[in-house]
Amino acid sequence: MIEAAVHLAAQPRLDTLVTEWRSEAQRLRTDYAGTAWLGDRPADDTGLAGPDYTRRGVDVQLFLPDTHWYAVDALDDVEIQVTGGLVQVAATARQTQGLVGALAAPTVDFFEHPEGEPGVGICLSLRGEIWSNLGLSYRVSVLCRPDAVLRAGGRADDEPADDEPADGD
């Protein structure tokens, strides 16, 4: 159920190969970050969201647009961190601070591919009730064995990969 529109603006995904200090096992650390705009997107010229003051429920699972696709059997020791923080709460028509309502802590789940392909991807879950448009900054860090990744996710941006030439090259 969602009565408020949600728009994801993802930052580029970061993948890093790290070594655990106790076991010296190699692990893949993937950081997903961006902003979820709940309600209206901010205006291009001001960067501010409009003052749409309506009580709206939020209960939504959002696939991260650049998620890797993970093998379920290889996620037995996965570690995940998720953080979120309010970026913007729209001002009222009288230019006073708007009301937020309540937005529960963001959570992360693995969900099957929507088109039935193998693997599971990362989903950001948001729930609560809001009274105004707002922006929520999110960061999801996943630490797993490198072989847990079946397929690398698409990039949230349109930049070429390291082995692809940029336009005009």
Side-chain angles (χ1 to χ4, degrees), residues 37 40-50 88-91 95:
W37 295 103
D40 294 333
R41 291 180 194 227
D44 290 336
D45 57 339
T46 65
L48 299 174
Q88 181 185 128
V89 178
Q95 300 305 312

Side-chain angles (χ1 to χ4, degrees), residues 30-88:
T30 302
D31 292 301
Y32 305 92
T35 304
W37 295 103
L38 289 81
D40 294 333
R41 291 180 194 227
D44 290 336
D45 57 339
T46 65
L48 299 174
D52 181 10
Y53 285 90
T54 308
R55 186 175 183 171
R56 294 169 283 180
V58 176
D59 187 0
V60 65
Q61 289 76 41
L62 304 163
F63 267 109
L64 299 186
D66 55 347
T67 184
H68 286 318
W69 295 98
Y70 299 91
V72 174
D73 296 344
L75 293 174
D76 55 338
D77 61 347
V78 68
E79 295 179 51
I80 299 175
Q81 289 182 339
V82 60
T83 58
L86 290 179
V87 175
Q88 181 185 128

